Each structure stands twice: as structure tokens, then as C-alpha cells.
Amino acid sequence: MDFPKRICEIFGMENSGPITGGRQCGAVRYSVASLGRSSVCHCRMCQRAFGSFYAALVVAQDLIWTSGQPSFFASSNLSKRGFCQGCGTPLSLKNSDDALLEIATGSLDNPELAPPSLQINHRYACSFSDDIGKLPTPDSETVAENDEWNATVISYQKP
């Protein structure tokens, strides 16, 4: 069975129609036929490119840019990274010797379709990254305060 379809069944989500995504400003949008391997990469280049402790990436099959085009940066002699010229956020990774194109999992309209199943370059992981899931979560009072604050936020990001 198709992995994203199975995830949708498990979590009770719809998976009809194409799998879509794009950048926060909406200038670049895409559609993919299916998703492949989903991973997080801990290498230093991915950390810097995503401004995070790791990059969440998923293999995209039959990607079509439906609105706008990404800009590209050759981050090494082997890789180029796609990003949105409008908002600057990361979008894709393509290795020159590899036919696979990976997209940033967070750029999917529904990132729940691609839960990571593999860690790549873990030896370069930040010493604290494995314990992030063990950090305490806010108590109910803090959650209520956050909900109040979040209710005042007007997002300019595009769906």
C-alpha cells in the first residue's frame, strides 16, 4: 500500500487529489504524484540551509511547479537547494548525481503525510537534538495564555 495513503488511513485524513505544497508567501507552489522516503538530515549544510537543528526532507515523485519557480543555490559541488526568492525559505534539495528530488517536509500543505522514518548523518547531530521530544510541555494555564495570544495573530502566510 502507498505509504502516504496508509498514514492518512491511520490518522483519518483525506488523501484525495494531488499532494500539494509551497512556500509561506505563496509565490511558489507545487504538486507531486506521490511521496517516497521521508527523513531528517543532521549534516551541517542542512542545519544552515534550514536554520534549524536538522532538515526534514521527503522524496517527491513527479513534481510539477504549479505557481512560480524556485531559485537555486549550489550549496556544494554535488547539491543544489531550491528556495523561494520572495520569502527566502527552503524548498528542495537535488543532488547532481541523483535522480531524486527531495522537498522540505514542512512545505507540504499536509506534512502529516510524510512522518520521518530515517535519520541521515546523525553523527553530525547537535548534542541536544535527540532529547527535544523529552522537553516539558506547558501546563494548562500556559496553554490558555498561548491560545489567547495565538488568537490575536493574523497570519500573512499562504495556505
Side-chain angles (χ1 to χ4, degrees), residues 133-147:
K134 298 175 189 172
L135 293 173
T137 57
D139 59 28
S140 59
E141 185 176 308
T142 305
V143 169
E145 291 171 8
N146 287 342
D147 286 346

Side-chain angles (χ1 to χ4, degrees), residues 7 76 137:
I7 291 298
S76 74
T137 57

Side-chain angles (χ1 to χ4, degrees), residues 35-147:
L35 301 173
R37 180 198 72 210
S38 185
S39 63
V40 294
C41 181
H42 294 277
C43 80
R44 191 65 184 126
M45 283 193 297
C46 280
Q47 289 173 1
R48 287 181 179 216
F50 279 70
S52 187
F53 310 129
Y54 50 78
L57 297 159
V58 60
V59 173
Q61 303 294 330
D62 301 322
L63 180 136
I64 298 170
W65 301 109
T66 58
S67 176
Q69 291 287 316
S71 294
F72 290 94
F73 171 70
S75 60
S76 74
N77 62 321
L78 300 177
S79 301
K80 65 179 182 178
R81 296 174 186 271
F83 64 95
C84 176
Q85 187 69 36
C87 61
T89 52
L91 187 58
S92 65
L93 173 65
K94 175 93 170 139
N95 290 325
S96 60
D97 62 344
D98 191 354
L100 298 179
L101 171 73
E102 295 179 276
I103 54 174
T105 306
S107 72
L108 289 165
D109 290 339
N110 184 357
E112 292 286 341
L113 293 173
S117 59
L118 178 67
Q119 295 186 68
I120 298 172
N121 292 311
H122 189 263
R123 69 175 181 230
Y124 302 112
C126 293
S127 63
F128 51 81
S129 65
D130 287 342
D131 294 325
I132 289 173
K134 298 175 189 172
L135 293 173
T137 57
D139 59 28
S140 59
E141 185 176 308
T142 305
V143 169
E145 291 171 8
N146 287 342
D147 286 346

